[in-house]
Amino acid sequence: MITPQTLLWHELIGLAVSVVKAGNPAYVGISGRIVDETRNMLVILTPSGTKMVEKKGCVFLFTLPGGVRAEVDGSALVARPEKRISMRNKR
């Protein structure tokens, strides 16, 4: 089960997300569903198409299943998805 405390160790694809703060002002306000993830980027499907947003330098607001919201600093997400998920066992 995904909770705000365990979000970093779960798959992000499919989650609803909004960019609430960013070093690049063009990213602020982008919201939609995550459709892909790389080491440094999230690909977000918005009503106007897909947007690629850098993880580092952004703060994301995730809406988890059940409606719970979690704010996450993108710097904590910078890693290959498969590596970040496997880090759960090491923490």
Side-chain angles (χ1 to χ4, degrees), residues 9-30:
W9 305 306
H10 283 277
E11 179 67 51
L12 301 178
I13 294 174
L15 293 178
V17 67
S18 295
V19 181
V20 292
K21 294 180 190 171
N24 181 345
Y27 291 155
V28 176
I30 293 176

Side-chain angles (χ1 to χ4, degrees), residues 4-83:
Q5 295 79 19
T6 63
L7 176 65
L8 297 178
W9 305 306
H10 283 277
E11 179 67 51
L12 301 178
I13 294 174
L15 293 178
V17 67
S18 295
V19 181
V20 292
K21 294 180 190 171
N24 181 345
Y27 291 155
V28 176
I30 293 176
S31 62
R33 292 229 175 257
I34 298 175
V35 292
D36 197 12
E37 177 185 8
T38 67
R39 180 182 187 276
N40 295 308
M41 305 284 263
L42 290 178
V43 180
I44 302 171
L45 180 62
T46 69
S48 61
T50 57
K51 307 284 184 186
M52 294 186 75
V53 178
E54 292 181 67
K55 293 176 183 177
K56 188 174 182 177
C58 291
V59 176
F60 299 97
L61 181 64
F62 290 91
T63 304
L64 306 179
V68 177
R69 292 181 165 207
E71 195 171 280
V72 176
D73 184 340
S75 297
L77 298 171
V78 175
R80 290 182 298 146
E82 59 275 12
K83 184 84 167 178

